[in-house]
Amino acid sequence: MAAFQICLQVWLTSSLLADGLAVAGQAIIACAIADKDYQKATAAATRVLQMSFILGLGLAVVVGLGLHFGDIIFSKDLTVLHFIAIGIPFVAGTQPINAIAFVFDGVNFGASDFAYSSYSMVLVAIASIAAIVVLSKTGGFVGIWVALTIFMGLRTFAGVWRMGTGTGPWRFLRGRLLP
């Protein structure tokens, strides 16, 4: 439990750094759409999503190395350190998808796509709860991290799908944002 809490807090702290980028994108996109400047909204959405991926990669490196070499500041217990080492690939490896998922939230909120955001989150939650129930019982510590990875992966997929299909408030993006 100690190792899980250490990994979870590092995961959440580093993942939420993308929220600043999400809020900036949200504000720019909302203003652009209000002004009917769809080219600016497209450019802003594209740029913040690109930046989120780069931020996620940077966080993956920093978090991975930081936890690998700095785990001793959290605990001296060898069992806890062993489980932290097991959690590092999940904590660090999910940073790119976490950053993209959080920024997609900001992009969708900026476009006032609240209904889709809420409905997709309910569906993601249902799938993720099922995954965590099954995987925590069968995989323990690793199973929980796999379930959290599934959760964030589904959130990212929901954002990509919405913008990629050019539906809802993103109709003006058809063929412009995602290749």
Side-chain angles (χ1 to χ4, degrees):
M1 185 54 79
F4 178 76
Q5 281 302 313
I6 291 165
C7 289
L8 182 66
Q9 294 309 313
V10 170
W11 184 75
L12 287 170
T13 301
S14 56
S15 296
L16 290 174
L17 289 173
D19 263 356
L21 188 56
V23 169
Q26 177 181 347
I28 294 167
I29 292 165
C31 288
I33 290 175
D35 292 340
K36 296 191 186 331
D37 187 349
Y38 301 123
Q39 185 174 358
K40 182 178 180 181
T42 302
T46 301
R47 180 60 64 197
V48 295
L49 288 166
Q50 290 168 343
M51 292 172 67
S52 72
F53 182 68
I54 292 167
L55 174 65
L57 290 176
L59 286 171
V61 171
V62 170
V63 167
L65 291 173
L67 263 180
H68 179 72
F69 293 109
D71 58 356
I72 197 75
I73 65 170
F74 297 109
S75 177
K76 292 180 181 25
D77 184 279
L78 293 178
T79 305
V80 172
L81 295 174
H82 170 74
F83 277 98
I84 289 173
I86 292 170
I88 289 173
F90 296 102
V91 175
T94 57
Q95 292 306 311
I97 62 172
N98 295 352
I100 293 169
F102 287 125
V103 170
F104 264 124
D105 287 346
V107 166
N108 284 326
F109 295 163
S112 297
D113 202 2
F114 302 112
Y116 175 78
S117 294
S118 62
Y119 290 130
S120 67
M121 193 59 167
V122 168
L123 292 175
V124 165
I126 290 168
S128 299
I129 289 168
I132 202 158
V133 167
V134 170
L135 292 171
S136 67
K137 290 182 181 183
T138 60
F141 181 79
V142 171
I144 293 170
W145 281 106
V146 170
L148 287 171
T149 303
I150 290 169
F151 171 66
M152 293 309 295
L154 289 173
R155 286 187 61 197
T156 301
F157 174 77
V160 169
W161 184 81
R162 180 61 159 189
M163 291 185 73
T165 59
T167 55
W170 297 109
R171 287 182 298 279
F172 64 87
L173 292 178
R174 282 201 185 112
R176 290 191 233 171
L177 182 63
L178 301 172

